Amino acid sequence: MSKYILPAFIGIIILWAFIKRVPVYDSFVKGSKESISLILSVFPYICAVLIAVELFSLSGLNAYLAKIMSPVLSFLGMPPELSEILIIRPLSGNGSLALLEGIYENYGVDSYIARCASVIVGASETVFYVGSVYFSTTKVKKLRYAIPISLVACYVGAVASCVLCRFI
């Protein structure tokens, strides 16, 4: 059933455009041309974020910060093993998925740590990546509190998710 959803959706769009007398191919080409300029304007921001994430990981700073965060997480009732995923998640979706896979391998998928990590990865966002894409396209230069508030919300959500996972 699921393999028919996307073709059916595309067929419905084409049928709807035919009924509304919209030139489908011309509209597609026009949209493709517009997307190239968007890609060119967003690419430097995405590239900067990806390089920063890689340098952060390779420098060992994430492991050092994870070590510092462990006592704070223990105090909040969160497993200290989640400290590295809490640091990487706002920076990189793929990096956090790799850490999540490591947690699954080390602790099992049904463990408390794995459940907490799954909810954190599934319910939080890559704040810096989304911020760089969003703010580069809107031409907003003064971010003020957008990133700090997003990070606070991300971490409050992580603590709440671990509290909820304790009861599940």
Side-chain angles (χ1 to χ4, degrees), residues 1-6:
M1 171 82 177
S2 63
K3 64 183 174 182
Y4 299 114
I5 291 175
L6 188 58

Side-chain angles (χ1 to χ4, degrees), residues 8-161:
F9 182 68
I10 292 170
I12 291 170
I13 289 174
I14 292 172
L15 180 65
W16 183 261
F18 180 73
I19 292 170
K20 293 289 189 174
R21 301 198 191 289
V22 174
V24 176
Y25 183 75
D26 294 338
S27 298
F28 176 79
V29 170
K30 181 182 175 189
S32 298
K33 284 180 184 178
E34 291 173 6
S35 69
I36 291 172
S37 65
L38 175 66
I39 290 169
L40 291 175
S41 68
V42 171
F43 179 75
Y45 299 96
I46 293 174
C47 185
V49 168
L50 294 176
I51 290 171
V53 168
E54 190 65 23
L55 289 174
F56 182 71
S57 296
L58 291 175
S59 70
L61 188 57
N62 62 336
Y64 180 72
L65 287 175
K67 193 175 183 182
I68 291 173
M69 284 178 60
S70 292
V72 175
L73 294 179
S74 295
F75 176 76
L76 293 173
M78 294 177 69
E81 295 85 358
L82 298 178
S83 57
E84 201 165 355
I85 207 164
L86 288 170
I87 293 168
I88 294 295
R89 181 62 183 159
L91 299 169
S92 169
N94 288 336
S96 60
L97 288 175
L99 290 172
L100 181 63
E101 183 180 355
I103 288 172
Y104 288 163
E105 289 174 2
N106 291 334
Y107 302 101
V109 294
D110 290 330
S111 67
Y112 171 66
I113 293 170
R115 288 194 319 263
C116 288
S118 297
V119 174
I120 289 168
V121 169
S124 62
E125 188 56 73
T126 52
V127 172
F128 291 102
Y129 177 79
V130 170
S132 67
V133 171
Y134 174 75
F135 290 120
S136 70
T137 57
T138 60
K139 306 297 183 214
V140 173
K141 298 299 177 207
K142 294 183 180 180
L143 303 180
R144 295 202 39 111
Y145 303 112
I147 299 294
I149 288 173
S150 298
L151 288 173
V152 167
C154 187
Y155 292 129
V156 168
V159 172
S161 69

